[in-house]
Coordinates of all heavy atoms in Angstrom, one line a residue:
Q274 N 14.2 12.7 1.5 CA 14.8 12.9 2.8 C 16.1 12.2 3.0 O 17.0 12.7 3.6 CB 13.8 12.6 3.9 CG 12.6 13.5 4.0 CD 11.6 13.0 5.0 OE1 11.6 11.8 5.4 NE2 10.6 13.9 5.3
N277 N 18.9 14.2 1.3 CA 19.2 15.5 2.0 C 18.9 15.3 3.5 O 17.9 15.9 4.0 CB 18.5 16.7 1.4 CG 19.0 18.0 2.0 OD1 20.0 18.0 2.7 ND2 18.3 19.1 1.7
P278 N 19.7 14.6 4.3 CA 19.3 14.3 5.7 C 19.5 15.5 6.5 O 20.4 16.3 6.4 CB 20.2 13.2 6.1 CG 21.4 13.4 5.2 CD 20.9 13.9 3.9
R279 N 18.6 15.7 7.5 CA 18.7 16.8 8.5 C 18.6 16.1 9.8 O 17.7 15.3 10.1 CB 17.5 17.8 8.4 CG 17.7 18.7 7.2 CD 16.6 19.8 7.3 NE 16.5 20.5 6.1 CZ 15.5 21.4 5.9 NH1 14.7 21.6 6.8 NH2 15.5 22.0 4.8
T280 N 19.5 16.6 10.7 CA 19.4 16.1 12.1 C 19.2 17.3 13.0 O 19.5 18.4 12.6 CB 20.7 15.3 12.5 OG1 21.8 16.2 12.4 CG2 20.9 14.1 11.6
D281 N 18.8 17.1 14.2 CA 18.6 18.2 15.2 C 19.9 18.8 15.6 O 20.0 19.9 16.0 CB 17.9 17.7 16.4 CG 16.4 17.4 16.1 OD1 15.9 17.9 15.0 OD2 15.8 16.6 16.8
E282 N 21.0 18.0 15.5 CA 22.3 18.5 15.9 C 23.0 19.4 14.9 O 23.9 20.2 15.2 CB 23.3 17.3 16.2 CG 22.9 16.5 17.3 CD 21.9 15.4 16.9 OE1 21.9 15.0 15.8 OE2 21.1 14.9 17.8
S283 N 22.5 19.4 13.7 CA 23.1 20.2 12.6 C 22.5 21.6 12.7 O 21.3 21.8 12.4 CB 22.9 19.6 11.2 OG 21.6 19.6 10.9

Side-chain angles (χ1 to χ4, degrees):
Q274 289 172 344
N277 188 9
R279 285 190 193 174
T280 60
D281 291 340
E282 294 85 28
S283 65

